[in-house]
């Protein structure tokens, strides 16, 4: 508005710059509050009136048109600001509810449980979202520490609802059931009541008992956990036979069978979803997770997992196309 005043004063009314005074109230509606928009609208109208008098246009049709235009834009700017502030308040309320839902669905895992230390990382593919179709949970049961990491088919609110069913069923079953097979059957029954059509959930369940130096895994069609040994060697804890995911009729494929993997002091076990293992860079190259064991050497599990997450983001070089969850289990002696 100051530029318009200067140009109009020095260049004269022949330039016809005065109607551009309406840009001030127009842009005022984009930022600030209602009071600010009102003040800018009043200032713009006052400046337009003074310049019209200065240019002897106050009784001219062009002067009237300018004043009406500035006044109209000022009123529209105030109305736009009022609606924007109302939408911002509504959005803040929705985000607050979403964050509360996140804390219930994907609550932070315990940093330590028995002889284990744990860390978790979650990245949603939906912009501004905190939760999605990936899930994780860690429960200390009477028989040991039990973990689940899974991936719901699809995205959006429907995937979040299914993830909530799985996590809720796991929290109950992990504490009550005597073994992982019984936990898996409880999850199957919960999903049978919830899922429609051919929806499914891939998941890997794990149990670590103290003082056993091994872990029991039960894999429902999920990417195998990555084992990192103290000497730096890395391998995947593949199941003896691939099994169908949760939510599908077990008659359509082989049922999963528990299998044991060594898990001794100094070992690390990284659970993840396909948003990590199938992430691609701009050349369509998959993320080489098996080559990133060196990133997990930090004594702090959270810092180690953060290093992997940042490296994954650098590999993708763009917003992620899929949710990515990681859960790191580390022997407490490490």
């Amino acid at each position: 508005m100051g530029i318009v005043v200067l140009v109009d004063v020095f260049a004269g009314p022949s330039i016809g710059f005065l109607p551009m005074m309406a840009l001030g109230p127009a842009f005022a509606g984009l930022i600030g509050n209602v009071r600010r928009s009102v003040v800018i609208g009043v200032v713009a109208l006052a400046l337009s009136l003074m310049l019209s008098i200065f240019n002897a246009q106050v009784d001219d049709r062009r002067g009237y048109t300018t004043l009406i235009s500035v006044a109209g834009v000022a009123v529209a700017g105030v109305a736009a600001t009022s609606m924007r502030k109302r939408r911002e308040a509504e959005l803040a309320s929705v985000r607050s509810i979403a964050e509360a839902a996140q804390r219930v669905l994907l609550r932070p895992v315990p940093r330590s449980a028995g002889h284990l230390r744990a860390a978790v990382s979650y990245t949603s593919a939906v912009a501004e979202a905190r939760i999605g179709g990936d899930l994780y949970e860690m429960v200390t049961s009477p028989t040991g520490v039990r973990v689940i990491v899974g991936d719901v088919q699809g995205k959006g609110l429907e995937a979040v609802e299914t993830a909530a069913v799985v996590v809720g069923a796991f929290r109950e079953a992990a504490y009550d059931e005597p073994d992982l097979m019984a936990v898996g059957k409880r999850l199957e029954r919960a999903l049978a009541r919830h899922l429609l059509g051919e929806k499914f959930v891939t998941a890997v369940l794990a149990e670590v008992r103290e003082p056993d130096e091994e872990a029991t895994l039960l894999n429902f069609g999920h990417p195998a956990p990555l084992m990192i040994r103290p000497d730096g060697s890395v391998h995947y804890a593949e199941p003896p036979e691939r099994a169908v995911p949760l939510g599908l009729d077990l008659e359509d494929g082989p049922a999963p069978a528990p299998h044991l993997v060594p898990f001794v002091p100094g070992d690390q076990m990284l659970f993840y979803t396909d948003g990590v293992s199938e992430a691609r860079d701009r050349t369509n190259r998959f993320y080489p997770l098996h080559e990133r064991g060196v990133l997990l050497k930090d004594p702090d599990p959270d810092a180690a997992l953060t290093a992997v997450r940042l490296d994954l983001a650098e590999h993708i070089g763009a917003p992620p196309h899929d949710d990515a969850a990681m859960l790191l289990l580390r022997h407490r002696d490490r």
Side-chain angles (χ1 to χ4, degrees), residues 106-176:
L106 296 179
R107 60 191 181 189
V109 300
R111 289 182 58 87
S112 62
H115 61 292
L116 302 176
R117 297 189 66 190
V120 69
S121 170
Y122 191 99
T123 304
S124 175
V126 181
E128 300 297 329
R130 302 291 183 87
I131 54 179
D134 289 1
L135 59 98
Y136 60 82
E137 184 56 288
M138 179 175 172
V139 174
T140 302
S141 71
T143 58
V145 176
R146 290 176 172 175
V147 171
I148 183 173
V149 173
D151 186 0
V152 178
Q153 179 195 21
K155 296 183 178 66
L157 293 178
E158 184 178 353
V160 174
E161 183 181 0
T162 303
V165 171
V166 176
V167 171
F170 177 79
R171 287 171 180 166
E172 293 292 330
Y175 193 84
D176 296 336

Side-chain angles (χ1 to χ4, degrees), residues 3-330:
I3 293 174
V4 172
V5 171
L6 292 175
V7 171
D8 192 83
V9 168
F10 289 103
S14 60
I15 301 297
F17 221 62
L18 188 55
M20 297 188 69
M21 188 67 71
L23 290 175
F27 284 109
L30 301 178
I31 57 175
N33 53 27
V34 175
R35 177 181 295 181
R36 183 175 185 273
S37 295
V38 171
V39 170
I40 291 178
V42 171
V43 171
L45 190 60
L47 290 174
S48 298
L49 180 60
M50 287 188 294
L51 289 175
S52 295
I53 295 173
F54 177 79
N55 296 327
Q57 294 178 335
V58 71
D59 294 328
D60 186 77
R61 184 177 63 181
R62 189 167 58 175
Y64 286 133
T65 303
T66 298
L67 293 175
I68 293 173
S69 299
V70 173
V73 173
V75 171
V78 172
T81 302
S82 177
M83 290 187 289
R84 175 177 56 80
K85 297 298 289 185
R86 186 166 58 251
R87 288 195 297 268
E88 288 177 353
E90 293 173 353
L91 180 59
S93 177
V94 170
R95 285 180 174 174
S96 177
I97 295 171
E99 289 175 358
Q102 179 197 23
R103 289 191 293 269
V104 173
L105 175 58
L106 296 179
R107 60 191 181 189
V109 300
R111 289 182 58 87
S112 62
H115 61 292
L116 302 176
R117 297 189 66 190
V120 69
S121 170
Y122 191 99
T123 304
S124 175
V126 181
E128 300 297 329
R130 302 291 183 87
I131 54 179
D134 289 1
L135 59 98
Y136 60 82
E137 184 56 288
M138 179 175 172
V139 174
T140 302
S141 71
T143 58
V145 176
R146 290 176 172 175
V147 171
I148 183 173
V149 173
D151 186 0
V152 178
Q153 179 195 21
K155 296 183 178 66
L157 293 178
E158 184 178 353
V160 174
E161 183 181 0
T162 303
V165 171
V166 176
V167 171
F170 177 79
R171 287 171 180 166
E172 293 292 330
Y175 193 84
D176 296 336
E177 300 296 343
D179 54 53
L180 286 186
M181 281 298 297
V183 174
K185 291 178 181 178
R186 283 273 292 271
L187 298 182
E188 283 281 9
R189 291 196 294 270
L191 285 172
R193 296 190 296 267
H194 173 77
L195 291 180
L196 299 175
E198 297 182 353
K199 299 291 185 179
F200 59 86
V201 180
T202 67
V204 57
L205 281 66
E207 180 181 71
V208 182
R209 301 190 179 193
E210 191 175 5
D212 294 352
E213 293 189 343
E214 59 186 9
T216 304
L217 299 179
L218 184 62
N219 197 315
F220 292 87
H222 196 78
L226 186 69
M227 304 296 302
I228 303 97
R229 303 300 181 187
D231 60 2
S233 60
V234 175
H235 71 276
Y236 291 101
E238 294 284 356
E241 187 176 1
R242 300 295 294 177
V244 296
L246 292 164
L248 297 179
D249 190 346
L250 294 181
E251 295 180 358
D252 293 339
H259 65 285
L260 299 176
V261 295
F263 194 57
V264 299
D267 284 347
Q268 300 183 83
M269 193 181 323
L270 179 64
F271 300 86
Y272 55 92
T273 59
D274 58 9
V276 177
S277 58
E278 296 181 5
R280 306 189 188 199
D281 61 11
R282 289 186 172 88
T283 63
N284 216 31
R285 185 173 63 94
F286 286 112
Y287 181 65
L289 181 62
H290 63 284
E291 300 175 3
R292 297 301 193 263
V294 66
L295 297 176
L296 296 171
K297 290 184 176 181
D298 195 295
D300 182 3
D302 289 295
L305 206 54
T306 297
V308 177
R309 178 175 55 81
L310 295 177
D311 184 72
L312 175 65
E314 182 178 354
H315 174 84
I316 299 174
H321 299 292
D322 196 5
D323 301 328
M326 293 182 286
L327 189 150
L328 178 65
L329 279 185
R330 178 182 288 182

